[in-house]
Amino acid sequence: MKALKQLPAWNVLEQHYRAMRRFDMRDAFRDDPRRFERLSLRLGSVLLDYSKNRITPDTLTHLMQLARESALESQREAMFSGAHINFTEQRAVLHTALRAPAHPPLTVDGVEIRQDIADALAHMRQFVDALHQGTWRGHTGKPIRHVVNIGIGGSDLGPAMVCDALAQYAVDSVRLHFVSNLDPAHLSATLAGLDPETTLFIIASKTFTTLETLANAHSAKAWLLSALHDPAAVSRHFVALSTNTQAVRAFGIDPANMFIFWDWVGGRYSLWSAIGLSIALALGWTHFQALLDGAHAMDQHFRNAPLEANLPVVLGMLGIWYANFWGTDTHGIFPYDQRLRLLVPFLQQLDMESNGKNVSHANRRVNYNTGPIIWGAPGTNGQHAFFELVHQGTRLIPTDFLVAAINPTPLADQHEWLLANCLAQTEALLKGKSRAVVEAELVAQGMPRRDARALAPHKVFPGNRPSNTLLYQTLDPHTLGMLIALYEHKVFVQGVIWQINSFDQWGVELGKQLAPPIRHALDPDQPAGEHDGSTLGLIADIRQRRA
Ligand code: F6P
C-alpha cells in the first residue's frame, strides 16, 4: 500500500479542494432543488442529511476513490472476518461478532468464537434474571436494590451513557450507579445513602489491573465488610467483568461470579460484551438484546452497502475531507436530545483513543492530520454557551446534530421547540446573514445609518458552515445501538484512510508509568527523585502545604 499522500486520489482531492475553496453551499442549494434527496441516506429509522456540507457530487466521487485506493473494502472485510487488524498488539477486532447471530460459525486464531459468545451471553442473562427475580440475594438474604458499576474508560463510558440514555426503559427493581474516578469523592458520594445489604458491585475491567478501578473496588470491599463483618459476603456482593481470571481471583472474587470476554474486544468497543452487564441489569435483557440488534443492523449495512450509500463511510470520508483538505482540527457533536448528554464523553474516547495516532502501519510518522478533537454538548444548552464560536469564530468546525422526531416525554410544546432549534441552528450555519441584511435591519429599527454601518460587521454571520443532521424516530434501544455502531464504523473508516491502528492505545501508558515514582515522592520522608524542574517544584509545594 502506498503512503496516503502518494495515492492518486489524494492528489485529485488536493486539486479539487483548490477549486472548491470558494464553493458556497447556498448557491448549490439554489442550483439543485434535489440536493437534499441526493445527499441524504436512510437506514431504518435513521436519516443522515449531509447536504449541508461543502461538497459536490465530484467531491464524493473523489473521496470514495480515495477510500477504494486505501483498500477500505478489504480492510472492512478483514475486520469482520477476524484478521489481526490490531497489528501492534497482534489481535483481531471483533466487537461486531458480539452482536451478530450465532450462525454461521466464526473462527479466530483457530477457535470457533460464536459458541463462546453465546455461552457468555447466556451466563449474563441467567444472572440478570436471577437478580431481577430476587433469586440472587445479598449475604443477609435481602434482594439487591442498587448496583454500582466500578470501571473507567471503556468499562464505564459506554454502559453509563446507554443506561442514562435509555433510563425510561429501566426496570423498577434495581438502580444502577457508575463510579469511575480515582478521586475518593466519586465513590463516597455514590455510597452515601446505599445499604451494603442490598448493594452489588460490578468490578468492570478488561485487564483487571487498572489503578482507578482496583482502588475503588478495594474501598468498596472495605465498605461492605465493615458493615457485614463476614468475608463470605464478598461472593454475594461482588461480580467481575474481565478477561483476567487470575487477577479477579486474587482480588477475592470467585471466578464463578466472573463474566468473561476476550482480547479481541477493545475497551472502548466493549459495551456489547460482558461489560454491558450493567446495561442488561438496568434495562432488562430484551432491551439489551434490542441494543445489540440495532448495532448488528448497522454492521450489516456497513459491511454490505456500496461505499457511496454507506452511512459510516460517508460520515467518515466527510471527516477526512474537512480534516485533511480544509484543515479543520475539531468536530462538534450536538445531540438535541438530553438523553444523549453522555454521548460526547463516550465518543471522545471512541474517536480520540482510536484515531489519536501519529504513526502509520508502515511504522513511520504520518505527514497529515489524523483524528480530530471531539467536543460538544447537548442542544439547546450549547447554543447559550459556545455556539458563538461555531457561528462567528475564525475556525471552520464540522458538526453533527442529532435529534429525535418524537420525544417520549412531551411537555407542552417543548419538543417542537427543541426540534425547531436544532434545525434552525443548521440553517443558520448554512445561510448566515450578510452585512447588507444586518445593516438594513438596524436601520429599519431606527439606528442612524452611520452607526448601523459600524455595528453591522459584528452582527454578520458568515454562513456556509457545514453540518450533518442525524434524525431518528425516537431514542429506543435499537436506534441507540445503530447510532453507536455508526460512530464506531466511522472511526474505523477514518483509521483505514489515515493508515493508523485505531485499536491500540499506547498513548495512555507513559502517564501510568510516571505516576508511581511521583506517588512515592509525595511522601515527605522519601527522596523527591529525578524529575523536571516544574514537577519537582510542584512536589515540593505539595509537601510544604501538607507539612
Ligand atoms: O488507560 C486506557 C484504558 O486502557 C482504556 O483503553 C480502557 O477502556 C480503560 O483504560 C479501562 O481499562 P480496563 O477495562 O482494563 O480497566
Side-chain angles (χ1 to χ4, degrees):
M1 164 76 60
K2 283 185 180 162
L4 176 57
K5 287 192 170 182
Q6 308 304 319
L7 295 174
W10 179 277
N11 199 340
V12 172
L13 276 160
E14 274 187 333
Q15 288 174 30
H16 178 65
Y17 163 69
R18 281 194 281 277
M20 287 288 288
R21 270 169 43 193
R22 296 201 198 301
F23 174 81
D24 196 315
M25 290 187 267
R26 292 163 285 207
D27 298 337
F29 274 103
R30 213 169 298 133
D31 297 347
D32 180 4
R34 296 198 54 237
R35 185 174 168 89
F36 170 77
E37 284 90 71
R38 280 189 226 284
L39 301 180
S40 56
L41 289 169
R42 287 171 198 274
L43 181 67
S45 88
V46 177
L47 163 69
L48 166 63
D49 168 20
Y50 62 101
S51 59
K52 291 186 182 106
N53 278 292
R54 293 183 180 184
I55 53 170
T56 63
D58 280 351
T59 318
L60 289 168
T61 306
H62 302 325
L63 285 170
M64 296 309 157
Q65 182 58 23
L66 181 66
R68 291 198 168 88
E69 288 174 12
S70 301
L72 176 61
E73 286 148 310
S74 60
Q75 284 297 306
R76 178 180 61 181
E77 207 39 44
M79 173 172 74
F80 277 100
S81 55
H84 281 189
I85 62 167
N86 176 352
F87 57 88
T88 56
E89 297 180 302
Q90 278 311 317
R91 286 180 186 165
V93 174
L94 275 170
H95 46 281
T96 51
L98 298 166
R99 51 222 191 187
H103 297 285
L106 177 59
T107 303
V108 177
D109 304 330
V111 178
E112 202 295 298
I113 62 165
R114 299 271 198 228
Q115 193 53 49
D116 291 349
I117 296 170
D119 292 348
L121 286 172
H123 186 202
M124 288 166 70
R125 187 174 188 167
Q126 221 174 20
F127 181 73
V128 170
D129 289 345
L131 200 118
H132 286 167
Q133 287 157 12
T135 50
W136 178 287
R137 288 177 175 254
H139 183 61
T140 58
K142 291 191 180 171
I144 298 297
R145 295 283 176 238
H146 292 270
V147 175
V148 183
N149 187 88
I150 296 181
I152 197 164
S155 300
D156 167 73
L157 291 166
M161 183 268 288
V162 172
C163 290
D164 193 62
L166 300 177
Q168 81 198 87
Y169 295 89
V171 300
D172 292 332
S173 54
V174 57
R175 238 192 97 198
L176 261 292
H177 309 261
F178 289 86
V179 172
S180 52
N181 203 332
L182 187 56
D183 185 336
H186 200 176
L187 182 65
S188 312
T190 306
L191 294 184
L194 294 191
D195 175 0
E197 288 183 85
T198 58
T199 301
L200 175 93
F201 293 94
I202 297 179
I203 313 304
S205 176
K206 179 176 171 181
T207 56
F208 228 79
T209 57
T210 303
L211 169 73
E212 294 85 341
T213 301
L214 288 184
N216 278 319
H218 281 290
S219 297
K221 189 155 87 167
W223 176 81
L224 184 94
L225 293 180
S226 71
L228 301 187
H229 310 290
D230 182 357
V234 171
S235 70
R236 304 306 293 172
H237 292 267
F238 278 80
V239 299
L241 320 176
S242 189
T243 59
N244 186 348
T245 313
Q246 219 180 339
V248 167
R249 191 182 283 117
F251 176 82
I253 295 177
D254 183 346
N257 295 341
M258 170 179 170
F259 298 85
I260 59 161
F261 57 114
W262 307 272
D263 70 0
W264 42 260
V265 183
R268 51 197 174 274
Y269 300 87
S270 65
L271 71 91
W272 323 99
S273 71
I275 291 294
L277 185 68
S278 49
I279 300 174
L281 284 171
L283 311 180
W285 195 261
T286 315
H287 295 315
F288 182 60
Q289 187 60 55
L291 185 81
L292 299 184
D293 292 345
H296 179 62
M298 186 58 72
D299 293 343
Q300 293 285 87
H301 166 79
F302 176 53
R303 191 172 189 178
N304 300 315
L307 300 188
E308 289 75 8
N310 196 307
L311 276 81
V313 174
V314 168
L315 273 188
M317 296 311 295
L318 287 171
I320 300 287
W321 175 232
Y322 289 115
N324 297 115
F325 298 94
W326 291 86
T328 59
D329 285 326
T330 81
H331 189 99
I333 308 269
F334 310 130
Y336 274 62
D337 194 330
Q338 180 63 16
R339 294 163 298 174
L340 289 178
R341 74 195 171 101
L342 299 180
L343 182 68
V344 172
F346 169 75
L347 291 183
Q348 285 177 322
Q349 186 196 16
L350 177 66
D351 203 317
M352 298 202 276
E353 203 174 68
S354 296
N355 285 344
K357 311 281 161 69
N358 66 55
V359 176
S360 76
H361 47 54
N363 308 320
R364 294 210 188 90
R365 197 182 193 297
V366 299
N367 56 355
Y368 41 83
N369 273 339
T370 59
I373 297 157
I374 301 293
W375 66 284
T380 59
N381 298 16
Q383 289 174 211
H384 301 275
F386 48 72
F387 265 50
E388 172 73 26
L389 184 142
V390 184
H391 286 287
Q392 286 195 321
T394 52
R395 293 173 178 82
L396 183 67
I397 301 172
T399 55
D400 293 353
F401 287 73
L402 296 93
V403 71
I406 295 167
N407 193 316
T409 49
L411 284 180
D413 59 352
Q414 286 187 218
H415 189 68
E416 305 308 295
W417 279 112
L418 183 71
L419 266 168
N421 269 277
C422 178
L423 270 51
Q425 289 301 320
T426 66
E427 187 173 40
L429 286 168
L430 165 73
K431 277 172 124 177
K433 197 192 255 190
S434 71
R435 190 169 174 160
V437 171
V438 173
E439 231 176 277
E441 277 181 6
L442 291 172
V443 170
Q445 286 159 17
M447 186 178 276
R449 184 159 294 280
R450 202 190 148 109
D451 295 349
R453 202 166 296 143
L455 183 60
H458 299 277
K459 300 189 87 171
V460 164
F461 287 72
N464 198 29
R465 299 198 165 194
S467 65
N468 296 309
T469 301
L470 280 161
L471 173 67
Y472 43 92
Q473 188 75 1
T474 191
L475 193 69
D476 55 26
H478 192 273
T479 304
L480 184 58
M482 287 178 78
L483 291 172
I484 300 170
L486 169 64
Y487 278 105
E488 286 179 349
H489 295 320
K490 171 202 159 169
V491 166
F492 171 82
V493 167
Q494 296 186 335
V496 169
I497 304 299
W498 288 321
Q499 305 188 352
I500 54 178
N501 182 0
S502 300
F503 300 101
D504 62 14
Q505 55 283 319
W506 303 107
V508 302
E509 295 303 326
L510 181 57
K512 291 182 189 174
Q513 274 172 12
L514 297 183
I518 294 178
R519 163 85 184 78
H520 193 68
L522 292 175
D523 181 343
D525 298 330
Q526 299 296 329
E530 284 189 23
H531 302 279
D532 62 89
S534 160
T535 308
L536 280 174
L538 291 166
I539 290 171
D541 198 85
I542 293 169
R543 283 182 174 200
Q544 209 176 10
R545 284 165 194 269
R546 306 205 303 188

